[in-house]
Amino acid sequence: MSGTDGHRKGNLREETTAFLGRRRELTELRRTVVRCRLVTLTGSAGVGKTRLALRAADAVRAHYPDGVWLVELAALRSPELPPVAVAEALGVAAPAGCSAAEAVAEHLRDKRLLLVLDTCEHLVGSCAHLVAELLTVAPGLTVLCTSRQPLRVRGERLLELRPLALPGDGGMPGADACEALEFFLRRAADAAPGIRFTAADAAAAVTVCRRLDGLPLALELAGARLRQMPVTELADRLSTRLDVLDADGRTGPRRHRTVRTAIGWSHELCAPLERLLWARLSVFADGFDLPMARQVCAGGPLAPDRLGPVLAGLVDKSVVVIDDGRHRMLDTVREYGGQWLAELGERDTVRRRHADAYRRLAEEVDGAWLGPRQREWHALLTAEHANLRAALDHHLQRGDAAAAVAMAGALRFFWCCGHHREGRRYLDRALALDRAPVHGPADGRPGGPAAAKRDRDRDRDRDRDRLRAFWSRGYLALNQGDARAADGAIADCAARARAAGPDEPMAAAAHLLGCNWMLRGDPAAALAALAGVPPATPDGAGFTVWLAAQLTRGCALVVQGQFARAADRMDRVRSEYTCHGDLWSRSRAGLVRAQADAGRGELVSAALGAADALEGPEALRDTVSSAALLQVVASATLGLGGAERAARLLGFADSLWRQVDGRMPYSYPHLAGARRTCHAEARAALGDRVYERAYRDGGGLDAAAGFAYARATALRSGRIR
């Protein structure tokens, strides 16, 4: 379902299972979407809104030259997050002082695209406000929402999705006559391969479809039971269950009761430990893996070594599904589990376990980031993004400043990989919550030597966590060109140093000050500030800040024209202080090395070196380094006579930089100056028309195609050496 020509067509995923039925509804939805700017597909839980919306969106892709973009909202809990989620899906970043909604609106102003907002009902007010704002400023925008309730925005066109068509009397009709039966039989075959139906079985299958009102989710759960019982027994048990429900006189739409009944019946048929795990798994905001499920959900009767087989039982029953190697529960199933977790009285306990487990994960990754497993760690954090958000929100909502500061700061490198604005928001909230005093080395307290040592250790850890958070906030602000916010972080680091006295806080302040001087265009002052960063070893405290300072020092030397010194320093950093898997540090050292080569006129080496260093930023989604490296390839290519290729690379590089702070030109003066020069020279060489066309083509490349083009351009430069 995604484009393959190298230009952005959106982010819809390929379907992994067959789409059954819904021909009439699909046709109506397709026609409505291309005619109306806001369409909301409503319907009860489990009726199949998401699947139909995605199929329709893919079918109308040709009407939207700027793509079809899916934003999944089910895992979000805060009304502040829908604009952030839309910005992330579109690859848009907000500059300092600009909200995510404003940045998205500006990005969409001249676009023709379809935005699919999936699962709006729990954030309907926030979604309605955002959609109304975007439709006002972006005349080429169309929005398709799925929700259990309308957004109630002017111009909204509502389409209600009803259950699948039910079988009539008279046996087993053909597939065209009964979508519900076709769906149930297909899911039954998936659950029990090779299954065969007798005449009695066929009649029982018809009964199941009728009793479940043709609701896809209910039919899927029922079909999964055919591993354990024949369809005739399934129909008998289900009929009894629903008759009891109807006799209770419960109110509410029958379809809602049917889904609850199907889920509840599936719950009753689970073993006790399966029901317990189902409830505990409901705290995961999105997918999860087995190790994390053990950390969060094991305990009491559910021993860690039993959890794997119990989880496999839930997969067999379609309560848990496996998607791209990760486990997850459908929203309605998770909601049911959450209700049971509250009934068990375990909700607060398991949520706290979840938050603590993800805090520990963040700290583990931070400690191992500058190592050989960096790519693996980044992939894990990316997969766990929704759970990381949920954990941070839980710490903040509980007022646990220590945990919030520790976790937000520990995610510093993840924030640098395309999540600058979100990282700054969480760091600001966590540090605002943290009002504990700074502890000095002579902070004596009563309670005996053992208690005093525990207090000192705790205080040391908290001061370390605060320092990491302050440094992270400043570093993110500098990447976005926000010197004022960086000034505040520098002052905070310096205050820690004055109060606590160790080298590490002063090193953090000195590094941020050096970066800030670079942002202000003064490399001499930057080098003077960076001289305050003391030496550190890879296994010692402060190594991360020291390594970052070496990279900044090399950059300052390049700006001063000391190209040989900068190249030598970066060669030493790469050979002595970074391991092969540390893509983040090696790519940034490669950037400075390539800039030094370009400064010395070694254009082929600069192009090849910069292209080689792109491996890290591409894998880690480090847009800052990506844009800067592409700028080097473009400048070197231009100097070697490839003006049109350089213009395409400039367009691609600029599109990436907008994901960092949403503004042009680049934040740092030396990058901005190089960009202006390259643009002007490429335009002069090509003429306005050819230049604009090439620049626009480059800006339309997706990430994979853009990086591949940069590498091909560098190799071409090497061949014409």
Side-chain angles (χ1 to χ4, degrees):
M1 293 168 66
S2 59
T4 59
D5 64 353
H7 285 73
R8 293 187 179 91
K9 298 296 183 182
N11 62 346
L12 298 187
R13 296 188 301 268
E14 297 288 344
E15 292 181 319
T16 57
T17 58
F19 183 85
L20 304 175
R22 300 292 196 194
R23 283 173 283 275
R24 180 183 59 79
E25 294 92 336
L26 179 59
T27 298
E28 182 180 8
L29 183 56
R30 288 170 55 188
R31 290 174 177 170
T32 305
V33 166
V34 298
R35 294 173 182 171
C36 303
R37 296 188 60 210
L38 172 59
V39 181
T40 301
L41 186 62
T42 64
S44 62
V47 80
K49 300 182 292 294
T50 297
R51 191 68 187 274
L52 181 64
L54 296 182
R55 172 54 68 103
D58 187 56
V60 300
R61 181 190 297 277
H63 293 271
Y64 303 97
D66 292 306
V68 177
W69 298 88
L70 169 66
V71 184
E72 297 174 312
L73 304 176
L76 306 184
R77 294 294 176 262
S78 169
E80 300 175 355
L81 287 178
V84 177
V86 174
E88 288 183 352
L90 295 173
V92 174
C98 176
S99 70
E102 291 168 338
V104 169
E106 182 61 30
H107 174 77
L108 294 177
R109 191 177 298 276
D110 60 350
K111 300 291 192 299
R112 284 184 56 201
L113 62 76
L114 172 62
L115 194 63
V116 183
L117 301 182
D118 184 39
T119 314
C120 297
E121 58 268 7
H122 62 303
L123 297 167
V124 68
S126 175
C127 291
H129 181 78
L130 175 64
V131 168
E133 179 180 350
L134 296 181
L135 289 174
T136 299
V137 302
L141 173 66
T142 298
V143 181
L144 170 60
C145 300
T146 70
S147 178
R148 297 181 200 173
Q149 57 182 309
L151 269 61
R152 306 197 186 284
V153 172
R154 172 181 284 186
E156 179 182 30
R157 175 69 182 275
L158 298 177
L159 291 180
E160 181 184 4
L161 184 61
R162 304 183 70 80
L164 296 168
L166 293 167
D169 295 327
M172 182 183 290
D176 290 340
C178 176
E179 292 178 339
L181 186 58
E182 177 192 10
F183 184 91
F184 177 69
L185 295 178
R186 181 68 64 89
R187 294 298 177 255
D190 292 340
I195 191 172
R196 296 288 185 270
F197 286 96
T198 65
D201 293 335
V206 169
T207 299
V208 169
C209 293
R210 289 175 179 165
R211 297 300 281 172
L212 294 179
D213 293 325
L215 284 164
L217 175 59
L219 292 171
E220 179 131 11
L221 291 171
R225 304 305 307 180
L226 296 182
R227 296 189 184 97
Q228 290 83 31
M229 64 183 69
V231 68
T232 50
E233 182 180 349
L234 175 68
D236 289 341
R237 289 197 183 191
L238 189 58
S239 295
T240 301
R241 183 74 168 75
L242 285 164
D243 288 342
V244 170
L245 180 69
D246 289 340
D248 284 345
R250 298 184 185 182
T251 59
R254 175 175 169 81
R255 289 196 299 277
H256 293 187
R257 288 186 288 135
T258 300
V259 169
R260 288 199 304 270
T261 299
I263 297 174
W265 179 66
S266 184
H267 186 264
E268 290 176 6
L269 293 178
C270 289
L273 288 182
E274 291 174 338
R275 293 198 292 268
L276 179 60
L277 180 58
W278 181 345
R280 290 177 176 178
L281 289 173
S282 67
V283 300
F284 285 97
D286 199 3
F288 57 91
D289 58 21
L290 180 57
M292 193 57 77
R294 283 199 179 100
Q295 285 194 54
V296 175
C297 301
L302 187 56
D305 60 346
R306 296 285 306 278
L307 194 141
V310 175
L311 179 59
L314 292 177
V315 172
D316 285 343
K317 297 175 178 64
S318 292
V319 173
V320 173
V321 298
I322 299 178
D323 186 8
D324 289 335
R326 286 172 60 79
H327 298 78
R328 67 178 180 87
M329 289 194 292
L330 299 178
D331 297 338
T332 310
V333 175
R334 184 172 61 244
E335 290 171 8
Y336 190 91
Q339 294 168 5
W340 270 96
L341 190 66
E343 290 287 333
L344 293 171
E346 290 192 351
R347 181 169 57 188
D348 291 343
T349 299
V350 182
R351 283 183 176 176
R352 186 164 56 251
R353 282 189 203 162
H354 176 274
D356 288 342
Y358 280 96
R359 175 184 52 77
R360 290 192 299 269
L361 173 64
E363 292 178 331
E364 179 185 7
V365 172
D366 183 64
W369 180 260
L370 300 178
R373 297 177 59 192
Q374 194 173 94
R375 189 192 299 263
E376 178 185 340
W377 288 126
H378 177 264
L380 177 59
L381 293 183
T382 299
E384 296 285 12
H385 195 167
N387 285 307
L388 293 167
R389 279 177 175 153
L392 274 166
D393 287 337
H394 182 79
H395 291 312
L396 290 165
Q397 288 161 8
R398 289 183 64 239
D400 191 343
V405 168
M407 185 173 180
L411 289 169
R412 52 185 167 175
F413 292 108
F414 182 65
W415 302 137
C416 286
C417 296
H419 308 289
H420 292 75
R421 183 176 184 84
E422 182 179 4
R424 290 182 64 184
R425 187 179 71 251
Y426 275 120
L427 286 161
D428 286 345
R429 291 173 63 192
L431 289 167
L433 186 65
D434 184 22
R435 307 208 191 296
V438 179
H439 303 100
D443 189 17
R445 276 158 249 180
K453 182 179 184 304
R454 284 195 302 272
D455 287 345
R456 285 195 302 271
D457 290 344
R458 183 194 62 216
D459 293 344
R460 182 196 63 228
D461 291 343
R462 290 203 64 179
D463 286 340
R464 177 206 63 200
D465 293 340
R466 291 190 193 98
L467 173 64
R468 182 172 58 188
F470 283 128
W471 183 82
S472 303
R473 183 169 65 173
Y475 193 62
L476 290 170
L478 288 163
N479 278 339
Q480 291 188 295
D482 188 350
R484 180 175 299 177
D487 286 339
I490 293 167
D492 288 325
C493 290
R496 301 285 152 185
R498 286 192 295 271
D503 288 339
E504 193 173 358
M506 188 57 74
H511 171 248
L512 293 179
L513 184 58
C515 291
N516 213 355
W517 280 120
M518 289 296 295
L519 188 63
R520 298 173 191 273
D522 192 337
L527 288 170
L530 293 167
V533 179
T537 58
D539 58 349
F543 177 72
T544 297
V545 172
W546 178 85
L547 182 58
Q550 303 314 300
L551 300 173
T552 306
R553 186 175 282 119
C555 182
L557 291 171
V558 167
V559 176
Q560 283 192 327
Q562 300 186 58
F563 304 123
R565 286 187 62 194
D568 290 343
R569 184 175 292 273
M570 292 304 100
D571 288 343
R572 184 182 176 194
V573 166
R574 287 196 291 180
S575 64
E576 298 183 21
Y577 298 107
T578 63
C579 67
H580 179 68
D582 180 7
L583 301 176
W584 191 84
S585 300
R586 292 181 68 84
S587 65
R588 292 183 176 226
L591 166 63
V592 178
R593 182 64 161 85
Q595 290 171 332
D597 286 342
R600 292 187 291 190
E602 298 175 4
L603 299 183
V604 173
S605 294
L608 292 173
D612 181 65
L614 281 170
E615 177 192 2
E618 181 180 13
L620 303 178
R621 303 179 189 175
D622 177 2
T623 45
V624 172
S625 297
S626 294
L629 285 164
L630 289 164
Q631 173 69 55
V632 175
V633 179
S635 296
T637 300
L638 178 64
L640 293 167
E644 189 168 351
R645 286 177 169 268
R648 290 195 188 94
L649 289 172
L650 290 170
F652 179 52
D654 284 358
S655 73
L656 293 182
W657 188 260
R658 291 189 187 95
Q659 298 176 33
V660 180
D661 79 350
R663 297 175 301 183
M664 298 303 299
Y666 296 8
S667 300
Y668 285 89
H670 65 284
L671 295 176
R675 173 188 175 273
R676 286 193 298 269
T677 299
C678 193
H679 274 269
E681 292 180 357
R683 185 184 292 274
L686 296 172
D688 289 344
R689 185 177 60 83
V690 176
Y691 170 83
E692 292 292 347
R693 184 184 65 228
Y695 179 84
R696 187 170 55 251
D697 286 347
L701 293 172
D702 64 23
F707 287 122
Y709 185 78
R711 292 190 181 93
T713 298
L715 289 174
R716 180 186 177 94
S717 300
R719 288 196 297 269
I720 62 174
R721 190 171 185 168

